[in-house]
Amino acid sequence: TTESYTRAQYCRWPCECPRSPPRCAVGVSLVTDGCACCKACAKQRGESCTEADTCDFHRGLYCDYSGDRPRYEIGVCAQIVGVGCVLNGVRYKNGETFQPNCKYNCTCINGAVGCVPMCTNSRPPLVWCPNPKLIKMAGKCCEQWICDDSRKIRKTSPRHISSAAYEGEDEAWQKNCIVHTSAWSPCSKTCGLGISTRISNDNDQCRLLKESRLCNMRPCEVDITQHIKPGKKCLAVYRAEEPTNYTISGCVSKSPYRPKYCGVCTDNRCCTPYKSKTIEVRFQCPDGTEFSWKIMWINACFCNLNCRNPNDIFADLAHYHDYSEIAN
């Protein structure tokens, strides 16, 4: 005679779960149990498992009930044996991570190879670069974008042209000091008179000092959109018809100027300077005293979608950080 057998029931409904989930050991997954009730620490390889106590599927484990015939109630967590992969004549085990070259990090997953690119800087320079070119740099795995210009590289070369692409460019030395000057920060105001700063050690003491200059991206009182040509959406550069004097706290520049300003767009683009220089302007006050201030002189602007907050101190960490303005 065959003895009747009643299968044990490991799940109970309604669910009764502790108030807080258990703390699992390092590397052990916190999963929902097999009853779809409570959070539990997943069973690891070699541990017993049931319909309630599930194996750690994140580690590729499953519950093997083959040793519990004929009940098939309590099993043992075992490793899923997956199919390996073959890539370029090399065989890899299931779950194995490898790098076929320096540009990709790949994983073999049950016969399929999935790869993640290690070179992420795949976008070309901005629109004002007439001929972008992706080239291989010496000592670097990933190609770099440069602005291919057959003409002689001038002092105002775009900052995104890597010096490694050209020979004969050395760091500036001054009295046993490596001169370093950062780029000017964005103007503190989008219209009207603002402040721009930079850090430089280009001085006799080779000390890193903070430098400031005045900047005026565009006048606040002028509606530049009225100067956009019919059929166009942007005006990159705006320039007043008559020269005017700079004014600071009632003090007036001794000479009149006719500066260029960055324009505006009627769509979502913004216009920012990409060529500028710093000039020194002499001011005279009503009481007869005089002083000088450095002022940003805009030479050219471009309009694009890469808009940023002028006061964002993390702007230089953005993906397009090396497309800052050409300045001196």
Side-chain angles (χ1 to χ4, degrees):
T1 60
T2 303
E3 184 180 354
S4 62
Y5 172 72
T6 303
R7 183 178 177 83
Q9 185 176 348
Y10 293 93
C11 291
R12 295 287 189 273
W13 292 279
C15 301
E16 295 182 1
C17 304
R19 291 185 177 180
S20 58
R23 296 176 63 89
C24 302
V26 177
V28 176
S29 302
L30 180 67
V31 298
T32 303
D33 62 22
C35 307
C37 279
C38 310
K39 292 292 184 181
C41 296
K43 297 298 181 180
Q44 301 302 299
R45 186 172 182 177
E47 294 182 343
S48 297
C49 51
T50 64
E51 62 177 354
D53 297 326
T54 56
C55 299
D56 198 337
F57 56 87
H58 292 128
R59 289 176 171 266
L61 302 178
Y62 75 103
C63 194
D64 182 7
Y65 293 100
S66 60
D68 192 27
R69 296 186 180 95
R71 298 181 303 169
Y72 300 105
E73 284 184 1
I74 302 176
V76 178
C77 291
Q79 190 76 43
I80 297 174
V81 180
V83 180
C85 308
V86 177
L87 182 65
N88 295 330
V90 180
R91 180 173 292 278
Y92 301 95
K93 297 179 181 178
N94 182 53
E96 184 177 356
T97 299
F98 59 95
Q99 280 191 261
N101 54 54
C102 63
K103 294 183 180 180
Y104 297 97
N105 190 37
C106 303
T107 303
C108 172
I109 305 174
N110 199 24
V113 175
C115 298
V116 177
M118 306 295 287
C119 301
T120 56
N121 189 16
S122 59
R123 287 184 284 185
L126 296 176
V127 293
W128 55 269
C129 178
N131 189 18
K133 186 177 181 182
L134 194 62
I135 68 167
K136 173 70 176 169
M137 294 289 190
K140 292 186 178 181
C141 171
C142 303
E143 288 87 355
Q144 303 285 320
W145 283 103
I146 68 166
C147 196
D148 188 19
D149 192 349
S150 58
R151 295 172 296 176
K152 183 179 179 181
I153 305 302
R154 300 172 298 173
K155 182 180 179 181
T156 56
S157 299
R159 304 178 77 91
H160 68 268
I161 300 182
S162 172
S163 59
Y166 305 97
E167 297 180 358
E169 289 193 3
D170 299 319
E171 290 178 309
W173 285 79
Q174 175 181 302
K175 295 182 181 179
N176 213 20
C177 168
I178 300 178
V179 177
H180 170 75
T181 302
S182 70
W184 287 102
S185 67
C187 191
S188 61
K189 292 187 177 181
T190 55
C191 75
L193 211 56
I195 292 288
S196 180
T197 60
R198 71 177 180 184
I199 302 296
S200 176
N201 65 346
D202 191 2
N203 51 67
D204 293 338
Q205 294 81 28
C206 194
R207 292 176 57 193
L208 280 172
L209 301 175
K210 184 177 180 180
E211 298 179 358
S212 301
R213 69 176 181 180
L214 298 173
C215 50
N216 193 340
M217 296 285 290
R218 58 187 59 83
C220 297
E221 66 278 2
V222 178
D223 184 7
I224 301 179
T225 57
Q226 295 182 357
H227 299 274
I228 298 177
K229 294 181 179 179
K232 300 291 184 180
K233 295 183 178 180
C234 288
L235 177 65
V237 176
Y238 167 75
R239 196 172 196 179
E241 295 181 358
E242 299 294 333
T244 57
N245 292 74
Y246 289 106
T247 302
I248 302 177
S249 301
C251 303
V252 182
S253 62
K254 299 185 70 174
S255 301
Y257 295 87
R258 189 169 170 247
K260 292 180 180 178
Y261 302 100
C262 286
V264 294
C265 296
T266 56
D267 52 16
N268 292 326
R269 287 177 289 174
C270 59
C271 300
T272 54
Y274 82 92
K275 283 186 179 181
S276 71
K277 64 180 181 180
T278 304
I279 63 172
E280 190 136 343
V281 176
R282 192 75 180 170
F283 289 85
Q284 187 169 26
C285 300
D287 60 0
T289 58
E290 295 184 3
F291 64 91
S292 295
W293 253 104
K294 293 180 179 178
I295 293 183
M296 173 188 186
W297 186 266
I298 296 174
N299 289 322
C301 303
F302 69 95
C303 304
N304 69 343
L305 291 170
N306 187 31
C307 306
R308 63 187 187 185
N309 186 340
N311 296 316
D312 183 6
I313 62 173
F314 298 104
D316 287 342
L317 299 180
H319 186 79
Y320 272 15
H321 67 279
D322 46 354
Y323 303 116
S324 51
E325 71 178 84
I326 304 165
N328 53 24

